[in-house]
């Protein structure tokens, strides 16, 4: 039997377990996603849901893979970055499994995992990556032994910004897909704050302005929700495209990878595809099953690190809620 890794994702809303072998063949993936009834992600509530469900998720992943826990050879878990109380759950469970089964454990940076699963599933070598999700907005590429950050948000993440606006407009979480649908029905652009500072992005002014449009006396007369959704997307995705294109022109990568939950958006896909074509770069979107947070990407990145430099000691598995991807060297790519 091939060597198997069990990967645990637990940085935010999603508790997920993936099982795969050291060649990257995937046997199972089970997700449990916290959906807030109102407001954003309350870490205490997310933690409660994950604590209530983790054993069920692990058991479902094992049974989908048709193996027992004793067949697992490596435990990988998301060690950074994320919500502290939630990261701790994945770390605790992983430490317990590693010691109980007497098998190695590896901590993984969640953002790096989003890139590595894209390299595996899209069969590409060295992409410029636009990672857009509920909690992150990062333009990154490999250089000098690290995934360097070329641009990032200075305040809200793109997914969080769209979800917050959608909530203000009375739409249920997650708002991203609903805003995409409404936006497709309009081409009436209302000017909104477009804020790119150097290579970084700021979405808070855009969010406030879009929210203000909902409260204005002209709402429902001069423009409707479709028009705001359209203008919000065009502005935010225009900003993302500008920074991605500038990074592409600067570092001359031949591949562009779009990943994270917001990668599902067809309008964003077409804009990033367009700039990739302009620069003769191959464009790939991570298959949506693996684009959002998932345990398979953690497992795969754990395998890469384990094979390159061995496991972590238990005392090295302390969570790092604020760790950036560019703080970490990547021994498997040198
Ligand atoms: P993640 O944090 O990677 O799990 O992704 C979740 C985020 O992706 C949420 O903010 C969703 O609103 C967003 N999302 C999912 N589908 C779409 C879509 N079609 N358009 C825009 N955002 C989306
Ligand atoms: Mg993510």
């Amino acid at each position: 039997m091939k060597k198997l890794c069990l990967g645990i994702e637990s940085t935010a809303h999603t508790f997920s377990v993936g099982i795969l072998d050291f060649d990257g063949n995937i046997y199972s993936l089970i997700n449990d996603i916290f959906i807030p009834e109102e407001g954003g992600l309350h870490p205490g509530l997310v933690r409660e849901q994950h604590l209530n469900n983790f054993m069920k998720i692990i058991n479902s992943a094992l049974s989908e893979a048709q193996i027992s826990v004793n067949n697992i050879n490596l435990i990988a878990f998301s060690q950074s970055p994320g919500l502290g109380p939630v990261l701790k759950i994945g770390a605790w469970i992983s430490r317990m499994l590693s010691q109980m089964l007497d098998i190695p454990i590896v901590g993984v940076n969640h953002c790096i995992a989003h890139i590595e699963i894209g390299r595996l599933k899209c069969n590409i070598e060295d992409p410029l990556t636009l990672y857009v999700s509920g909690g992150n907005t990062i333009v990154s590429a490999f250089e000098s032994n690290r995934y360097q950050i070329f641009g990032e948000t200075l305040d809200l993440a793109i997914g969080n910004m769209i979800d917050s606006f959608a909530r203000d407009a009375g739409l249920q979480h997650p708002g991203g897909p609903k805003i995409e649908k409404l936006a497709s029905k309009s081409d009436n652009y209302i000017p909104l704050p477009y804020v790119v500072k150097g290579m970084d992005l700021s979405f808070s002014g855009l969010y406030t302005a879009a929210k203000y449009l909902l409260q204005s006396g002209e709402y429902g007369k001069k423009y409707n929700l479709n028009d705001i959704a359209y203008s919000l997307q065009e502005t935010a995705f225009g900003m993302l495209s500008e920074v991605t294109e500038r990074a592409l022109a600067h570092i001359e990568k031949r591949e562009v990878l779009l990943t994270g939950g917001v990668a599902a958006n067809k309008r964003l896909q077409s804009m990033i595809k367009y700039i990739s074509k302009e620069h003769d770069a191959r464009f790939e979107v991570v298959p949506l099953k693996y684009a959002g947070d998932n345990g398979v990407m953690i497992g795969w990145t754990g395998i890469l690190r384990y094979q390159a430099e061995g496991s972590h000691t238990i005392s090295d598995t302390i969570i790092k809620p604020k760790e950036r991807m560019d703080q970490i060297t990547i021994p498997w790519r040198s």
Side-chain angles (χ1 to χ4, degrees):
M1 196 174 190
K2 285 182 175 170
K3 279 190 151 192
L4 296 174
C5 174
L6 183 144
I8 298 181
E9 157 61 28
S10 163
T11 59
H13 45 56
T14 302
F15 187 88
S16 170
V17 175
I19 296 173
L20 70 171
D21 68 29
F22 281 28
D23 293 328
N25 300 302
I26 297 164
Y27 301 105
S28 66
L29 173 61
I30 306 287
N31 299 330
D32 181 58
I33 302 178
F34 174 86
I35 301 200
E37 277 173 30
E38 55 179 31
L41 287 188
H42 188 296
L45 296 177
V46 187
R47 184 187 58 189
E48 279 309 298
Q49 174 160 326
H50 292 351
L51 277 175
N52 284 334
N53 293 346
F54 75 84
M55 205 59 236
K56 207 163 54 193
I57 306 303
I58 292 173
N59 283 332
S60 305
L62 290 167
S63 82
E64 187 172 285
Q66 299 185 330
I67 57 163
S68 106
V69 75
N70 295 311
N71 299 122
I72 300 292
N73 305 98
L74 175 69
I75 301 288
F77 73 101
S78 51
Q79 185 173 19
S80 66
L83 304 172
V86 183
L87 279 167
K88 269 185 199 158
I89 297 171
W92 281 336
I93 296 164
S94 302
R95 286 174 173 198
M96 184 198 70
L97 286 173
S98 161
Q99 292 175 83
M100 190 178 85
L101 301 167
D102 195 21
I103 56 174
I105 180 170
V106 184
V108 167
N109 176 283
H110 173 98
C111 305
I112 292 174
H114 272 291
I115 299 179
E116 289 302 341
I117 195 66
R119 290 178 64 228
L120 175 73
K121 296 307 291 182
C122 300
N123 198 19
I124 59 180
E125 195 41 47
D126 185 27
L128 176 78
T129 301
L130 174 60
Y131 164 36
V132 276
S133 71
N136 291 284
T137 310
I138 297 176
V139 177
S140 162
F142 185 74
E143 215 172 84
S144 309
N145 211 23
R146 284 165 202 257
Y147 285 111
Q148 308 288 353
I149 296 177
F150 286 88
E152 62 192 314
T153 182
L154 298 170
D155 41 52
L156 302 174
I158 176 75
N160 182 22
M161 189 275 287
I162 296 176
D163 291 343
S164 300
F165 170 77
R167 201 153 51 230
D168 297 332
L171 303 170
Q172 272 205 324
H173 189 89
K178 291 157 195 128
I179 293 296
E180 177 177 20
K181 212 165 166 193
L182 298 176
S184 71
K185 296 179 198 157
S186 168
D187 57 5
N188 176 21
Y189 183 76
I190 309 159
L192 286 170
Y194 180 106
V195 184
V196 173
K197 297 181 179 175
M199 288 294 283
D200 291 329
L201 309 124
S202 164
F203 291 112
S204 62
L206 171 57
Y207 165 66
T208 308
K211 185 174 163 183
Y212 178 75
L213 288 177
L214 288 173
Q215 297 159 352
S216 147
E218 294 183 336
Y219 182 51
K221 296 176 190 143
K222 273 196 171 165
Y223 53 83
N224 59 27
L225 186 55
N226 299 350
D227 302 330
I228 310 178
Y230 170 73
S231 308
L232 186 74
Q233 277 201 175
E234 292 302 299
T235 310
F237 296 169
M239 290 161 56
L240 290 169
S241 301
E242 178 187 330
V243 171
T244 306
E245 174 164 33
R246 199 145 3 105
L248 194 55
H250 181 67
I251 57 172
E252 299 181 329
K253 296 284 181 191
R254 305 266 44 93
E255 300 154 330
V256 177
L257 183 68
L258 180 60
T259 191
V262 184
N265 190 290
K266 292 277 187 290
R267 177 61 181 145
L268 179 62
Q269 288 179 13
S270 82
M271 286 165 100
I272 303 300
K273 186 175 181 179
Y274 179 84
I275 59 161
S276 305
K277 208 167 161 216
E278 291 280 293
H279 290 267
D280 289 324
R282 181 176 147 204
F283 171 72
E284 293 287 340
V285 186
V286 176
L288 294 182
K289 186 171 179 188
Y290 304 108
D293 295 352
N294 69 87
V296 165
M297 70 180 192
I298 300 298
W300 178 237
T301 310
I303 290 168
L304 294 173
R305 184 164 296 281
Y306 176 67
Q307 289 183 321
E309 61 175 15
S311 60
H312 284 142
T313 62
I314 286 292
S315 57
D316 281 339
T317 56
I318 189 161
I319 60 159
K320 300 173 182 171
K322 301 268 183 224
E323 184 176 64
R324 289 165 62 85
M325 69 199 298
D326 57 2
Q327 291 174 287
I328 304 169
T329 54
I330 308 295
W332 59 92
R333 287 198 58 182
S334 33

